[in-house]
Amino acid sequence: MPQTDDLSEDRGGPTVEDTVLGDLIGYRLKRAYMQIQPEAQRALAEDDLRVVSFSCLSIITDNAGIVQSELADALQMERSNLVVIIDELEQRGLVTRKKVPTDRRRYALTATLRGRRLRDRAAEKVRTAEDQIIGRLDDKDRAHLMAVLQRLEDNTR
Amino acid sequence: MPQTDDLSEDRGGPTVEDTVLGDLIGYRLKRAYMQIQPEAQRALAEDDLRVVSFSCLSIITDNAGIVQSELADALQMERSNLVVIIDELEQRGLVTRKKVPTDRRRYALTATLRGRRLRDRAAEKVRTAEDQIIGRLDDKDRAHLMAVLQRLEDNTR
DNA sequence: AATAATAGTTATTGACTATAACTATTATCC
DNA sequence: GGATAATAGTTATAGTCAATAACTATTATT
């Protein structure tokens, strides 16, 4: 029997009572996210990417020619906050900004070969990092989780 | 057939491609949380509570006599950031700070009757707000979601 | 042609988190 | 038992991030 010497203090605090918070979905979502996020962040930092820049790079890779407003919309962020992120991706040679001839207000964003490769590599690392955490979560539970989260998200739109 | 005039633009953007992001748990968690959080925030604002102060009030209510370090630990936040929050809860007469006789470094936190009542009322509102969003998610899916999220969280400790 | 709206940009603000440094008190160690 | 280390609470501060407003250039509307 794997009985150790440590008492209740061993992991995650001395079992605080909770009759309400833990039954709220928002709370559970936040807690789960707080465990995963730092690992994803660490994985992406190896390639000097933040979560948000990786997200942008990824969507741009999958949608060559997308413009900034559409990207902001897809990632549910303000287009003003996108500017510096695209600036950096562009300066690093990961994406290109090209004026759309038919509408010169817009910039078509396209990932370069380097950008696409970096996206794939970084995605692999994040996936691996997540798998570490998921641990004993089997494929069925994982699939169910993803489906339910997706449904949750869709319900609000 | 509920065919409307609007095209693909109707809800959530014109279906942007995504071969990677949507398969990451961190991304799905964040997106789901981003839908729920504003509603919870709005519900709590009716009682001049923020999510974090509600969380504190709730844990204190369930753990009369808990001290600030333990609370910070339970909510995974910095104890320095807790100070002003407890200050406010105390000033509003929702919790009391009382020196622990056996260890005068510590303050025992206890919710007042008003605090406990507010907690219950606010919790009810958040629950209702969440239920609006959950919508078509049946009890079985909800229970499964909560269990899996809990497991995810525990796996990292 | 005048007016609206849209895309991108810049600057700024407020909220939140993390860190370091400090005081008071208690625990540990020689 | 006294020096030293550790802990609880606090304060101040700095960094991160999201939201807002205002601006220019361009296109759409009437």
Side-chain angles (χ1 to χ4, degrees):
Chain A
M1 179 184 274
Q3 177 81 6
T4 61
D5 285 324
D6 19 332
L7 300 174
S8 59
E9 188 79 31
D10 52 354
R11 298 277 164 181
T15 48
V16 167
E17 288 301 314
D18 173 18
T19 67
V20 165
L21 228 44
D23 278 327
L24 295 175
I25 293 185
Y27 182 75
R28 285 262 83 86
L29 284 173
K30 183 176 189 175
R31 299 277 292 201
Y33 180 66
M34 281 171 58
Q35 310 308 315
I36 298 242
Q37 202 271 355
E39 291 308 306
Q41 192 171 326
R42 193 193 45 69
L44 290 169
E46 294 176 16
D47 295 304
D48 292 303
L49 286 172
R50 288 176 300 151
V51 169
V52 63
S53 25
F54 168 70
S55 301
C56 288
L57 178 58
S58 196
I59 296 293
I60 296 171
T61 297
D62 287 338
N63 298 270
I66 193 174
V67 298
Q68 287 180 213
S69 295
E70 293 164 353
L71 178 58
D73 207 52
L75 292 176
Q76 292 182 218
M77 55 186 296
E78 293 298 322
R79 64 193 201 287
S80 62
N81 292 326
L82 219 116
V83 178
V84 290
I85 297 165
I86 305 297
D87 281 350
E88 202 208 316
L89 292 177
E90 191 184 23
Q91 277 156 25
R92 291 176 61 184
L94 302 173
V95 309
T96 60
R97 255 196 270 237
K98 217 174 62 179
K99 266 206 158 64
V100 176
T102 60
D103 185 344
R104 304 210 316 284
R105 290 172 299 186
R106 319 174 100 193
Y107 284 104
L109 303 173
T110 308
T112 63
L113 178 59
R114 258 191 77 212
R116 295 195 298 271
R117 283 185 177 151
L118 179 58
R119 193 283 292 263
D120 291 342
R121 180 153 32 97
E124 186 59 34
K125 285 183 187 173
V126 175
R127 203 46 141 93
T128 303
E130 285 195 347
D131 285 345
Q132 302 292 100
I133 297 179
I134 295 171
R136 299 157 24 83
L137 212 63
D138 63 31
D139 287 352
K140 193 167 131 267
D141 281 343
R142 183 185 196 280
H144 193 272
L145 171 64
M146 298 294 273
V148 171
L149 289 178
Q150 176 80 65
R151 196 134 46 94
L152 245 182
E153 193 181 314
D154 292 341
N155 275 352
T156 64
R157 290 208 298 260
Chain B
M1 180 184 273
Q3 176 82 7
T4 61
D5 285 324
D6 18 333
L7 300 175
S8 58
E9 188 81 30
D10 50 355
R11 298 275 165 183
T15 49
V16 167
E17 289 299 315
D18 172 16
T19 66
V20 163
L21 230 43
D23 279 327
L24 296 174
I25 293 185
Y27 181 74
R28 285 262 84 87
L29 284 173
K30 183 175 190 177
R31 298 276 293 202
Y33 180 66
M34 281 171 58
Q35 311 308 315
I36 298 238
Q37 202 271 353
E39 292 308 306
Q41 192 172 327
R42 192 193 44 70
L44 291 169
E46 294 175 16
D47 295 303
D48 291 303
L49 286 171
R50 286 175 301 149
V51 170
V52 63
S53 27
F54 168 70
S55 302
C56 288
L57 177 58
S58 196
I59 295 292
I60 295 171
T61 296
D62 288 337
N63 299 270
I66 193 174
V67 298
Q68 287 179 213
S69 296
E70 293 164 353
L71 179 58
D73 207 52
L75 291 177
Q76 295 183 215
M77 55 186 297
E78 293 298 323
R79 66 194 200 286
S80 62
N81 292 327
L82 214 105
V83 178
V84 290
I85 297 165
I86 306 297
D87 281 350
E88 202 207 316
L89 292 177
E90 191 184 23
Q91 278 157 22
R92 291 176 60 183
L94 303 173
V95 309
T96 62
R97 254 195 272 237
K98 217 175 60 180
K99 266 206 155 64
V100 175
T102 59
D103 186 344
R104 304 210 314 284
R105 290 172 299 186
R106 316 174 103 196
Y107 284 104
L109 303 173
T110 308
T112 63
L113 179 59
R114 257 192 78 214
R116 295 195 297 272
R117 284 184 176 151
L118 180 56
R119 192 282 293 261
D120 291 341
R121 180 153 34 95
E124 186 59 35
K125 285 184 188 172
V126 175
R127 203 46 143 91
T128 303
E130 285 195 347
D131 285 345
Q132 301 292 101
I133 297 178
I134 294 171
R136 300 154 25 81
L137 212 62
D138 62 32
D139 287 351
K140 193 168 131 264
D141 280 343
R142 184 185 195 282
H144 192 273
L145 171 64
M146 299 293 272
V148 170
L149 288 178
Q150 177 80 66
R151 197 133 45 94
L152 244 181
E153 194 181 313
D154 293 340
N155 275 350
T156 65
R157 290 207 299 259

